[in-house]
Amino acid sequence: MELMATRIWMPDRLSELFPAFNDPRTRDIHYLDGAATSQRLAASIKALVDYESGPVGNAHRGAHPWAEKSSSALEAARKDVGKYLGIEANAVAFTSGATESANLLAQAARGHTSAMDVIFVSQMEHHSNYLPWLELARSTGCSFVEIPIGADGCLDLAWFEREVQVQKPKWVCVTAMSNVTGVAPPVRWISRLAKEANPQAMVVVDAAQAIAHLGVEEALWGGDFAFFSSHKIFAPSGSGVLAARDAELFDLLEPGKFGGGMIRGFKSNTEPRWASGHARFEAGSANVGAALGLAAALSIFSQWDLSLMQAHEEALGSWTAHELTKMDGVFVLGGASRHGLVSFHADWAHAHDIGTVLESHGVFARVGHHCALPLMGALGVQACVRLSFGPTSNEADAEAAIKALVSAKRRFT
Ligand code: ALA
């Protein structure tokens, strides 16, 4: 198999777009850990810094022009993010990241879930779309059921098709793309079946991994709620989104966090009336700079040729997976690379030791269980090395990874 990314599609502009790659200290680094966090786009950093350089006010909390300016900036960012996701601005709640989003939603789901209900959660979820629902099940007494996966790391769709009819889940929680294998379940199909089986069903999509690799073909990938973090889409960290297909869906739920800005008022001092739409899920002062940084990143990302970018990532991932499978005692999780993700383990060294050798060759990868222990258990491994290729990766990165791995094998066998 020849290593040929379709075209190195942004070579000259890479250092211009990403300051991290415009630094002599990073010249010899092969950053293959974008699935853990992406490098930041210059435009996104600029949007954040420009805003924070002031003057600033507290959004929606003042009558003076600086507060007005912050309010307008926040709402403009919300509109842009909503447009990108295919939903109205009022259905976009800014949060501190994917983890907070999932927790807020699962907390909010309490008033909407009884002991009679069933939650389906896929076995390939990151802990952040697994544990909050497990906690919901514990606190409400409802049934927590895993959608199983097969040896290829894909969801067992026959199981789902059968069991969704029988168990009629109220909540179906599924990732749009596994952060370990890159498998992208058919969320739209899952959503349709869930609603045919139970018109009350709500489909929750973890888009943290998908956001920088899949387009948004259908609003929120076909789910009722979706969430992601900004730091995986080339924007600064500490922020993210919880989005609803329709702002009215937020109004069906109790808030998941309490504080300023999330009530309409009080009927009496012990009877608050919750705000509607995104405001219900945005207790506390807004992180306006981060919202602007995210909007700026999405604006650039949406101008890229998605199919070219995907072909580029696939080409790098496939070649790497192919080279890995030629090595004795190396096993690629799920049997193949998907969407530029290649996770593997070796029977001759622990993933952490392999990671250390890779690092000594300037290849930055992630090792461990990737906060997806149910998936790792189903695939029968405790830890793996993950190489994540993205739009900033190139052929030299893939070759360096294989070269470093050959060196690791020599050292450990
Ligand atoms: N969830 C992030 C990852 O997959 C940190 O690496």
Side-chain angles (χ1 to χ4, degrees):
M1 188 178 188
E2 205 184 335
L3 170 57
M4 199 175 64
T6 43
R7 178 170 110 200
I8 303 295
W9 69 302
M10 57 157 76
D12 305 328
R13 299 196 60 216
L14 196 64
S15 54
E16 175 198 321
L17 288 169
F18 293 90
F21 298 119
N22 190 19
D23 182 333
R25 289 169 303 179
T26 64
R27 199 173 298 135
D28 298 328
I29 300 302
H30 300 281
Y31 187 71
L32 295 179
D33 203 16
T37 200
S38 57
Q39 299 304 316
R40 319 303 195 223
L41 277 160
S44 181
I45 301 166
K46 183 172 184 310
L48 172 81
V49 171
D50 283 355
Y51 172 77
E52 295 295 354
S53 303
V56 297
N58 198 324
H60 300 304
R61 281 156 175 81
H64 59 80
W66 292 357
E68 298 282 343
K69 180 184 150 229
S70 294
S71 307
S72 310
L74 180 66
E75 296 317 315
R78 193 189 308 283
K79 207 165 147 201
D80 288 348
V81 174
K83 196 164 160 215
Y84 182 76
L85 297 173
I87 54 174
E88 59 182 314
N90 194 19
V92 176
F94 288 116
T95 66
S96 68
T99 300
E100 187 187 36
S101 299
N103 275 275
L104 282 174
L105 190 57
Q107 285 287 331
R110 279 178 196 225
H112 205 61
T113 308
S114 78
M116 305 298 291
D117 288 326
V118 177
I119 307 177
F120 273 17
V121 177
S122 99
Q123 220 169 27
M124 70 169 81
E125 296 311 299
H126 186 281
H127 295 165
S128 57
N129 198 31
Y130 191 97
L131 295 174
W133 302 103
L134 186 58
E135 281 308 303
L136 176 66
R138 282 194 182 147
S139 62
T140 60
C142 73
S143 305
F144 179 91
V145 179
E146 280 184 308
I147 309 172
I149 59 163
D152 57 359
C154 295
L155 286 186
D156 184 341
L157 297 179
W159 181 96
F160 179 78
E161 197 167 12
R162 190 178 62 246
E163 291 302 319
V164 76
Q165 296 295 336
V166 178
Q167 306 201 41
K168 303 186 188 314
K170 178 73 153 291
W171 296 93
V172 177
C173 307
V174 66
T175 185
M177 188 185 291
S178 161
N179 68 316
V180 181
T181 58
V183 166
V187 177
R188 224 180 332 178
W189 177 83
I190 288 171
S191 191
R192 183 166 57 76
L193 263 63
K195 281 166 195 299
E196 280 169 12
N198 177 3
Q200 308 289 315
M202 293 286 180
V203 176
V204 179
V205 183
D206 175 355
Q209 180 62 31
I211 186 73
H213 302 277
L214 291 185
V216 188
E217 279 169 24
E218 183 169 344
L220 299 190
W221 297 269
D224 295 295
F225 296 98
F227 59 83
F228 61 88
S229 296
S230 302
H231 72 95
K232 293 199 187 186
I233 178 81
F234 319 111
S237 56
S239 81
V241 163
L242 170 61
R245 174 172 47 77
D246 187 316
E248 285 178 12
L249 287 181
F250 279 147
D251 298 349
L252 295 177
L253 304 173
E254 293 291 300
K257 194 163 104 179
F258 302 87
M262 46 71 72
I263 59 164
R264 246 185 304 162
F266 284 91
K267 228 150 92 193
S268 74
N269 280 1
T270 53
E271 288 178 290
R273 290 163 57 235
W274 310 131
S276 65
H278 66 81
R280 186 175 289 211
F281 289 89
E282 288 182 341
S285 298
N287 188 350
V288 181
L292 290 167
L294 172 61
L298 287 176
S299 162
I300 292 196
F301 183 73
S302 60
Q303 289 166 39
W304 291 347
D305 181 332
L306 194 64
S307 49
L308 190 59
M309 184 197 85
Q310 288 171 333
H312 176 78
E313 295 172 347
E314 290 278 4
L316 295 172
S318 300
W319 179 83
T320 306
H322 183 75
E323 292 301 303
L324 289 175
T325 47
K326 288 198 303 202
M327 295 177 79
D328 283 343
V330 175
F331 307 93
V332 175
L333 263 64
S337 76
R338 292 178 178 91
H339 297 103
L341 276 195
V342 194
S343 290
F344 65 93
H345 65 106
D347 62 9
W348 37 261
H350 191 276
H352 285 93
D353 296 324
I354 296 174
T356 306
V357 176
L358 292 182
E359 188 277 327
S360 71
H361 287 253
V363 176
F364 290 5
R366 185 171 171 196
V367 296
H369 55 59
H370 309 278
C371 302
L373 279 169
L375 169 73
M376 302 294 281
L379 294 176
V381 289
Q382 286 179 337
C384 65
V385 182
R386 183 186 66 195
L387 304 170
S388 44
F389 295 96
T392 62
S393 315
N394 59 30
E395 283 126 326
D397 297 328
E399 282 166 341
I402 295 300
K403 206 168 143 206
L405 198 64
V406 169
S407 157
K409 185 158 190 282
R410 216 175 291 130
R411 183 177 307 184
F412 294 118
T413 58

